[in-house]
Amino acid sequence: MSRRAWRWLIPASALPVLALLAYGFRVNPREIPSPLVGRPAPSFTLTAFDGAPVTLEAQRGRVVVVNFWASWCYPACYDEAPVLERSWRAYRDRGVVVIGVDIQDTTEAAQNFVRDFGLTFPNARDPSGKVSVDYGTYGVPETFFIDRRGRIRAKHVGALTDGVVRVHVDALLAEPAG
Amino acid sequence: MIPELGYGAAIVALALALWGAVTAALGARTGRPALLLSAQHAAVGVFVLVTACFALLTYAFLTFDFSVRYVATNTNLGTPFYYRITGVWGALEGSIILWAWMLALYTVIVILRHRVSARAFYPWVLTVMLGVLAFFLLVMTVAAPPFARSSPVPADGRGLNPLLEDTGMITHPVALYLGFTGLTVPFAFALAALITGRVGDAWITLTRRWTIVAWYFLSLGLLIGGWWSYHVLGWGGYWAWDPVENAAFMPWLTATAFLHSVMIQERRRMLKLWNLSLVILTFGLTLFGTFLTRSGVIASVHAFTQGAIGAFFLSFLALVLLTALGLLAWRWDALHAQGALDSIVSRESAFLLNNVLLVAVTFTVFFGTVFPLLSEVARGVKVSVGAPFFNQVNVPLFLALIFLMGVGPLIAWRRASLDNLRRNFLAPVLVGVVAAAGFFALGVRSAIAVLTLALTVFVAATIAVDFARATRARLRVGERLFPAMRGLLLRHNRRYGGFVVHLGILIIAVGVTGSQAWSVQTETTLRRGESAELAGYRVRFEDLTASEESNHFKVAGAFTVSNGRVLGVLRPAKKFYPQEQSPIAYVDYRLGLNEDIYLVLGDFARDGSQATVKLLVNRLVSWIWIGGLVLTLGALLAILPERRKGA
């Protein structure tokens, strides 16, 4: 290489650094592996806002999506509420249940939230915070995907999207029922 | 209404900025004044529109307009007035508005100051500044729009991050951003110099004060950040080598290097390539810092939320680096040095070494900051390096820098004679050695502490020697003492401003050394009425009180602090915010010149019968803030217009 051609190494020297930073997008620093993945889902019985009991055990044999939320959790919970409702309507006939667990909230604010978004899947308050402790939640929203045998198979931190729900739920539905 | 107005203003501003950047470039190429005038008008228009965006967002905050998604995310009905204002720039989207606003302000000032004085560079400077501004406006309209609508409109908002509820939040981001954005000006001039081929020292002379101003704000931002960390985060420290801190520290380091290396170019016509590279690097690092803190690529305690914005910043960083470095390569032939080093023992080489060290520190900080990424690429696991890495690598470099701080300003240019060295350094070296022995005799046993303190004394002595000699010279021609000293400071304000800044840094170094070497802490659980002792202080737990504040619930402990006599009652607390999972610590402290007593409340019994408290006695920390004040004075002195020629 001639002496003058070497000078183009100056701009070229920036490329590895830029490539390294671009690589950073492939990884998610917020992904906190949950030790619960692969373990049986902690059982719970709560009372839904409409007064009906909500029991995880009763859903055995179905794929369960447990979503922890709060009415003050703006904007993430506001963003994912329509997603959850859509998913529930799309999948309920295929053996999928969505359960909303409202934590650190007041009943009134939570009921307004459920009403404003027209949520029709079972939603219950976790008044003592016991369920959220059992599931080791760091914040809201967090969502757990539970297979037909009652084991936690995946955990999602942050607002759900249709794509995220589809990937996890379809995978669990594809597994043999037994 | 506000979302639509704000969004519209941002879009028009973006169009104007692009228009202005293009017309300024065309004006430079064709020499047609009408084009340049149009670009100027566009720049003023951008400033007005971004100001309007800023005002609209502030108004939305003050009136709790939750139809603006950003307002709903960062405030709630309980947020006090003051924090509704600081909340405007408390998170990602608003911080971009603040950034764009400052950049627009700088652009207008550049127009006012340089449209005549820097005619050759000015059109391209305008192009670069408006181009950078257009990028931030693009972020404002596409990637992180502050005026996005929320639907449905929530009845109440989420609330500001409680850690940001602090008075420092009005000054810290403002100072930091004034520093960051201010560095765009020298960068724009550097690019203009490369484009026009005028790579001599004209651009350096024109931007000298701009660089000092930006450097000063950056320093202030870092110091206030340290103060915030110290009195809000409640871990007793002021600097943690967190990625966000590093992101602001790196451009400060390279800007510091640049401030020194330009003196060699002015004096000896050397280092053209180096100076241009430093400015490009510095600006690149400000973008890198923004990228780092806003992309979520590297996890940090106070990173902004992640999103599409990372890709935007990375693309822009790539564009800036490749363009600027490409221009550098293109002008390669014009950038060959004319001068050469005459001797290793000279001011040039002292400054050069200072530059090498500063860049070395920058490199290690950069390496440590992106290490999690590197390790993931290499081994597939994310491993962070912590404070020990940064301290071990950088402390020796910092010590060498302090030593050079004493040598550089006094040693002769070109080649220092033995006589020059003896005249300037014999006394300071002796004083430094005596000081080292003195500190040892006083019981200082840590080698690093002795070395730092002795070096500090040595540098202070060189400054004293220089100042005394210059004053004496003036006394000899018949001036009186105080007028002579005042005249020195004002007429040679750049030199003596620099010395005062050095003194400020020395004082900060003493504070850092003291706090690292001699701070003590303990953690203990006390029943009501019980006391704990630490370093001569006695802390008695009196009681626990709970109170409902406007936007949180607060549990405060009362602790009587005494050292022989009662000093007062400190009330560290825990604040419970509904939107936060874990409580926020509220520390209480009593600052002193020698030491601070600093209390953090830990767990407590609900009935108030006992509480865990962390006691820290932090030594000499106050000198860091005092050093910051001295540095401020020095920077102001250096920023004053030079009066040497006129007077």
Side-chain angles (χ1 to χ4, degrees):
Chain A
M1 214 188 296
S2 80
R3 210 175 122 64
R4 298 192 64 221
W6 280 103
R7 61 190 173 162
W8 295 105
L9 284 180
I10 299 177
S13 65
L15 291 175
V17 175
L18 293 169
L20 178 69
L21 297 180
Y23 172 83
F25 288 125
R26 290 188 40 211
V27 293
N28 180 2
R30 290 208 301 179
E31 212 162 72
I32 307 159
S34 168
L36 291 175
V37 170
R39 300 264 184 87
S43 62
F44 60 82
T45 300
L46 295 167
T47 308
F49 291 114
D50 58 14
V54 181
T55 307
L56 184 66
E57 253 74 69
Q59 311 299 337
R60 191 62 53 84
R62 286 188 248 190
V63 172
V64 186
V65 179
V66 177
N67 170 257
F68 289 89
W69 62 276
S71 69
W72 46 262
C73 145
Y74 181 87
C77 296
Y78 283 66
D79 289 344
E80 69 172 10
V83 172
L84 283 165
E85 179 64 20
R86 258 201 306 280
S87 309
W88 157 245
R89 287 177 194 229
Y91 280 105
R92 61 188 299 181
D93 296 335
R94 295 169 59 191
V96 177
V97 184
V98 176
I99 298 175
V101 180
D102 172 40
I103 61 173
Q104 299 189 359
D105 214 341
T106 63
T107 307
E108 191 196 347
Q111 279 172 334
N112 287 342
F113 184 94
V114 171
R115 193 191 57 226
D116 288 351
F117 282 98
L119 303 181
T120 58
F121 56 86
N123 255 301
R125 263 197 76 194
D126 175 21
S128 62
K130 183 179 178 307
V131 181
S132 71
V133 170
D134 285 348
Y135 278 78
T137 58
Y138 281 90
V140 276
E142 286 188 11
T143 306
F144 293 84
F145 295 91
I146 300 167
D147 68 12
R148 292 194 181 101
R149 291 194 285 169
R151 286 175 312 181
I152 294 177
R153 299 293 296 277
K155 173 185 176 182
H156 181 83
V157 178
L160 289 167
T161 60
D162 290 311
V164 170
V165 177
R166 201 175 317 123
V167 165
H168 290 302
V169 171
D170 285 349
L172 295 184
L173 281 176
E175 290 179 356
Chain B
M1 192 58 183
I2 286 187
E4 287 72 24
L5 277 177
Y7 192 65
I11 293 259
V12 178
L14 171 61
L16 278 181
L18 288 171
W19 168 262
V22 172
T23 47
L26 287 176
R29 292 292 296 262
T30 61
R32 283 172 54 187
L35 287 170
L36 205 52
L37 206 59
S38 176
Q40 255 164 239
H41 292 158
V44 175
V46 171
F47 175 68
V48 171
L49 287 167
V50 178
T51 309
C53 286
F54 201 74
L56 278 172
L57 194 62
T58 311
Y59 179 76
F61 262 91
L62 292 181
T63 56
F64 296 116
D65 188 341
F66 296 133
S67 72
V68 181
R69 186 185 166 101
Y70 178 73
V71 176
T73 324
N74 290 291
T75 189
N76 59 31
L77 294 171
T79 311
F81 178 82
Y82 181 81
Y83 299 121
R84 299 215 296 280
I85 294 178
T86 59
V88 173
W89 55 78
L92 170 71
E93 290 85 350
S95 74
I96 300 283
I97 289 204
L98 181 65
W99 192 293
W101 183 75
M102 286 175 176
L103 199 52
L105 178 69
Y106 275 124
T107 310
V108 170
I109 299 175
V110 164
I111 292 176
L112 292 176
R113 274 188 62 85
H114 294 303
R115 102 184 152 263
V116 181
S117 72
R119 186 159 295 182
F121 302 105
Y122 166 69
W124 290 111
V125 170
L126 206 52
T127 297
V128 175
M129 296 207 60
L130 284 172
V132 176
L133 198 46
F135 166 72
F136 279 93
L137 291 166
L138 188 70
V139 172
M140 247 172 80
T141 45
V142 181
F147 290 106
R149 216 172 220 301
S150 53
S151 123
V153 176
D156 194 2
R158 183 185 183 279
L160 188 65
N161 179 345
L163 289 175
L164 303 183
E165 289 201 357
D166 177 67
T167 47
M169 282 317 291
I170 201 152
T171 41
H172 167 62
V174 170
L176 207 56
Y177 291 5
L178 277 173
F180 277 151
T181 51
L183 289 169
T184 314
V185 182
F187 171 74
F189 270 90
L191 278 204
L194 282 170
I195 294 170
T196 56
R198 294 164 190 267
V199 289
D201 10 313
W203 73 274
I204 281 182
T205 318
L206 284 165
T207 54
R208 190 170 61 215
R209 280 167 69 207
W210 280 105
T211 315
I212 301 179
V213 169
W215 178 89
Y216 165 63
F217 281 124
L218 204 50
S219 313
L220 202 60
L222 286 167
L223 282 162
I224 302 171
W227 166 243
W228 172 77
S229 173
Y230 186 63
H231 86 285
V232 172
L233 291 187
W235 58 287
Y238 41 83
W239 187 264
W241 297 107
D242 180 85
V244 174
E245 295 168 344
N246 294 345
F249 190 44
M250 286 187 279
W252 183 90
L253 289 166
T254 51
T256 308
F258 178 70
L259 279 176
H260 291 89
S261 65
V262 291
M263 287 185 242
I264 311 183
Q265 182 168 346
E266 283 175 328
R267 194 67 184 234
R268 300 289 321 272
R269 306 276 178 274
M270 294 157 66
L271 303 184
K272 280 181 197 165
L273 178 66
W274 175 255
N275 282 327
L276 286 162
S277 312
L278 270 184
V279 170
I280 293 168
L281 185 63
T282 304
F283 182 69
L285 284 170
T286 67
L287 288 180
F288 171 71
T290 335
F291 164 77
L292 198 66
T293 45
R294 288 166 180 78
S295 65
V297 162
I298 287 169
S300 152
V301 284
H302 39 347
F304 288 82
T305 49
Q306 61 192 107
I309 194 159
F312 269 72
F313 269 95
L314 188 57
S315 311
F316 188 60
L317 180 63
L319 177 75
V320 163
L321 283 184
L322 296 178
T323 310
L325 296 177
L327 283 170
L328 209 59
W330 180 54
R331 290 286 182 198
W332 183 253
D333 294 332
L335 293 172
H336 281 307
Q338 283 154 354
L341 275 187
D342 295 318
S343 161
I344 298 293
V345 191
S346 65
R347 191 177 296 181
E348 296 89 306
S349 64
F351 276 31
L352 211 55
L353 196 55
N354 137 305
N355 265 245
V356 170
L357 289 171
L358 283 167
V359 172
V361 175
T362 312
F363 182 76
T364 57
V365 174
F366 182 84
F367 179 76
T369 309
V370 301
F371 192 77
L373 277 181
L374 278 172
S375 78
E376 192 153 353
V377 172
R379 300 194 320 174
V381 254
K382 196 160 243 175
V383 182
S384 305
V385 295
F389 162 79
F390 290 105
N391 289 338
Q392 253 165 28
V393 179
N394 287 330
V395 166
L397 298 176
F398 286 139
L399 290 178
L401 278 167
I402 293 179
F403 174 69
L404 286 175
M405 203 188 273
V407 174
L410 264 62
I411 197 170
W413 289 100
R414 288 180 179 273
R415 187 186 301 273
S417 63
L418 214 55
D419 184 49
N420 165 281
L421 294 179
R422 191 166 40 221
R423 223 164 58 91
N424 284 310
F425 298 112
L426 186 59
V429 167
L430 287 177
V431 172
V433 170
V434 170
F439 288 124
F440 190 78
L442 282 173
V444 182
R445 287 296 176 271
S446 147
I448 294 217
V450 171
L451 195 57
T452 316
L453 294 174
L455 278 173
T456 309
V457 171
F458 158 72
V459 179
T462 62
I463 297 174
V465 163
D466 180 90
F467 195 68
R469 187 183 303 134
T471 312
R472 215 164 41 228
R474 287 179 154 244
L475 292 180
R476 236 176 269 136
V477 296
E479 282 192 57
R480 288 204 292 190
L481 183 61
F482 286 107
M485 287 164 86
R486 211 177 60 116
L488 263 184
L489 289 178
L490 289 181
R491 289 205 191 164
H492 300 271
N493 58 323
R494 204 175 148 205
R495 178 172 174 85
Y496 287 101
F499 276 139
V500 176
V501 169
H502 282 181
L503 278 178
I505 303 265
L506 292 179
I507 296 172
I508 292 173
V510 169
V512 171
T513 309
S515 67
Q516 296 292 319
W518 300 306
S519 294
V520 286
Q521 56 170 293
T522 181
E523 192 169 337
T524 176
T525 302
L526 298 176
R527 288 174 192 287
R528 197 186 289 215
E530 270 184 347
S531 301
E533 284 189 39
L534 178 70
Y537 289 95
R538 198 179 172 82
V539 173
R540 195 173 72 184
F541 174 42
E542 305 292 353
D543 65 353
L544 212 57
T545 47
S547 58
E548 185 90 40
E549 307 288 325
S550 79
N551 57 350
H552 62 272
F553 182 75
K554 182 171 164 182
V555 176
F559 297 86
T560 306
V561 178
S562 53
N563 60 347
R565 62 196 178 85
V566 174
L567 296 172
V569 178
L570 294 184
R571 300 179 191 280
K574 266 184 186 301
K575 302 200 276 187
F576 297 82
Y577 286 81
Q579 73 267 32
E580 297 294 315
Q581 291 272 308
S582 43
I584 306 289
Y586 174 84
V587 300
D588 202 0
Y589 43 79
R590 197 186 150 86
L591 304 183
L593 286 182
N594 288 330
E595 57 198 24
D596 305 339
I597 172 109
Y598 184 105
L599 262 58
V600 189
L601 184 66
D603 288 333
F604 49 81
R606 280 184 167 237
D607 59 3
S609 61
Q610 60 177 23
T612 302
V613 64
K614 198 166 158 187
L615 309 177
L616 298 95
V617 174
N618 293 325
R619 300 265 157 70
L620 300 183
V621 173
S622 290
W623 291 97
I624 297 176
W625 325 127
I626 294 169
L629 284 179
V630 173
L631 183 148
T632 295
L633 292 177
L636 289 177
L637 192 58
I639 292 166
L640 285 179
E642 295 236 351
R643 304 217 313 202
R644 204 174 347 173
K645 294 187 185 82

